[in-house]
Amino acid sequence: MNKPKLWTKDFINISLSNFFLFLTFYILLVTLPIYALQEFDSNASQAGLMTTVFLLSAIISRPLAGQWLERGSNKQVLLTALFIFAAASLLYFFPKSVTGFLVIRLLHGIGFGMATTAVGAIVADLIPSSRRGEGMGYFVMSTNMAMVLGPFVGLTAIQQWGAKTMFILTVIVAIGALITGLTVKLSMPKETKKQVILPAFSLKNFIEPSAVSIAIVGGFLAIVYSALLSFVSVYANEIHVSEVSSLFFVVYAIILLMSRPFTGKWLDQYGPNVIVFPSIILFAIGMFVLSQSGGAVTFLVSAGMIGLGWGTLFPTFQTIAIQNAAPRKRGLATATFLSIYDIGIALGSFLVGLIAAKMDFSSLYFLCSFYILVGAVLYYFMQVRKREIKRQQYLKVKEQ
């Protein structure tokens, strides 16, 4: 029997739009703190606000975008968000103070939060339901590729050609997100053709309850991932492998890319538990190997194991969040999942920074490997056990 087509023009274009969104994000993530320190002679805490303000505005805007997606057109939300995102990218040339930059980061974060929510909802509609795990896995690869290329491109641009060239590059990439978003053609699902009338204000308008439990598991494990994003290069210097630190996320992405054709299909065929529990164990082992690394080989081996573990978990969790929601609630489910996930990243960056002041990174990553295993227990109670209880309740009602 022929499988429904996955690699359509619209799926490719929405994945490209997502890639350009996150490429812009990662270029600025690594360069703006440097720019703030050099150009405005700001301190480390002020430079760190560049990321904090951006993430907070993205977290706040996502539930609002999710509500708009439920009430209106996915394409309309996407284009509005991409326009805000591209317009904000143009403004980085003008501020003369850190405060001015923080205002732009606030606006840019709003566009980013709305756009990533809309993109997640749209791709869920474009992927055939029988291939959702496989399709979401490939889609999230666009984020992983941006994570690898963004820091490299951003640091190369600002170090070799200066901040102005880096900002020009950012504008070009953001416009790329807008152009590829414009080319996506959407047909409104049958269930959403009727306008949904909601109360003026209700917490349910901003949070999709069915996505909360898996989002909490994702946010819990994202705290460890934030420790990698923020400090793995610092740790590489500590263990004297700085010459290969830039390859960490390259190896991460290569292993993830090689595994993607299998893990996504297994998710569709056998369900999430077959994927989640082994991936959590791989993630934990990868962090343990990283904590014990004394050379380049073990450092890069850990990158591959973490890529296979966490790199598989994130799209699996997002797929679960979408599958648990009704079709017209997919936008809100995506917003709920990504918001709680970003809270985990933001909280993790703060907590890890505090803990790292008290212990070395080797000890921190060693403890993280055991923390990850607690995530398996959390997943069992919040997802597996909860679903089993619901199934038993359903069978009882059916027997009556």
Side-chain angles (χ1 to χ4, degrees), residues 32-291:
L32 280 185
I34 296 172
Y35 182 78
L37 290 168
Q38 294 177 349
E39 187 72 15
F40 303 120
D41 196 28
S42 59
N43 56 42
S45 62
Q46 289 174 324
L49 281 174
M50 295 286 184
T51 300
T52 303
V53 168
F54 183 94
L55 284 175
L56 285 176
S57 62
I59 290 168
I60 292 169
S61 67
R62 280 197 174 116
L64 299 172
Q67 185 185 30
W68 188 8
L69 284 164
E70 188 177 346
R71 293 186 175 191
S73 163
N74 288 2
K75 186 71 173 283
Q76 185 182 31
V77 179
L78 176 66
L79 295 183
T80 301
L82 290 175
F83 178 79
I84 293 171
F85 187 78
S89 300
L90 286 166
L91 299 177
Y92 283 105
F93 296 96
F94 303 108
K96 303 298 181 185
S97 67
V98 172
T99 303
F101 260 93
L102 292 178
V103 172
I104 294 170
R105 291 297 278 168
L106 180 69
L107 178 63
H108 212 182
I110 291 171
F112 181 77
M114 291 175 61
T116 49
T117 299
V119 164
I122 288 169
V123 80
D125 288 338
L126 291 174
I127 298 171
S129 58
S130 62
R131 301 184 70 179
R132 186 154 288 141
E134 182 185 2
M136 285 301 296
Y138 282 122
F139 168 73
V140 173
M141 279 301 300
S142 63
T143 302
N144 292 321
M145 292 298 102
M147 180 187 67
V148 174
L149 289 175
F152 174 77
V153 171
L155 290 172
T156 301
I158 197 169
Q159 291 170 359
Q160 299 294 325
W161 305 299
K164 185 176 180 181
T165 301
M166 185 269 294
F167 287 137
I168 291 172
L169 184 62
T170 301
V171 171
I172 293 170
V173 175
I175 291 173
L178 177 60
I179 291 172
T180 49
L182 280 168
T183 60
V184 178
K185 296 178 181 177
L186 299 173
S187 57
M188 190 177 292
K190 291 179 181 179
E191 186 179 334
T192 60
K193 283 185 178 178
K194 293 181 180 179
Q195 185 178 5
V196 181
I197 300 173
L198 298 171
F201 179 84
S202 171
L203 188 60
K204 290 183 179 180
N205 294 354
F206 300 94
I207 296 174
E208 171 51 37
S210 66
V212 170
S213 59
I214 193 63
I216 289 173
V217 179
F220 180 83
L221 292 174
I223 290 174
V224 174
Y225 184 57
S226 71
L228 286 173
L229 284 176
S230 302
F231 298 110
V232 73
S233 59
V234 179
Y235 176 59
N237 290 331
E238 279 190 3
I239 61 174
H240 310 294
V241 294
S242 56
E243 68 278 2
V244 297
S245 62
S246 61
L247 294 178
F248 185 90
F249 286 110
V250 174
V251 173
Y252 175 107
I254 290 171
I255 298 299
L256 181 56
L257 183 62
M258 291 171 62
S259 68
R260 183 57 62 216
F262 309 103
T263 54
K265 289 179 181 177
W266 291 342
L267 174 59
D268 291 326
Q269 290 175 0
Y270 306 114
N273 297 342
V274 173
I275 300 297
V276 171
F277 287 113
S279 296
I280 289 176
I281 292 170
L282 270 172
F283 187 17
I285 295 173
M287 289 299 296
F288 176 80
V289 172
L290 180 64
S291 74

Side-chain angles (χ1 to χ4, degrees), residues 216-232 248-249 252 280 282-288 290 306 310 313 341 343-352 355 361 364-375:
I216 289 173
V217 179
F220 180 83
L221 292 174
I223 290 174
V224 174
Y225 184 57
S226 71
L228 286 173
L229 284 176
S230 302
F231 298 110
V232 73
F248 185 90
F249 286 110
Y252 175 107
I280 289 176
L282 270 172
F283 187 17
I285 295 173
M287 289 299 296
F288 176 80
L290 180 64
I306 292 167
W310 174 249
L313 284 172
Y341 169 80
I343 289 170
I345 291 288
L347 182 62
S349 298
F350 175 72
L351 291 176
V352 170
I355 296 170
F361 284 105
L364 174 62
Y365 288 151
F366 176 77
L367 292 175
C368 282
S369 64
F370 292 96
Y371 174 94
I372 291 166
L373 294 177
V374 177

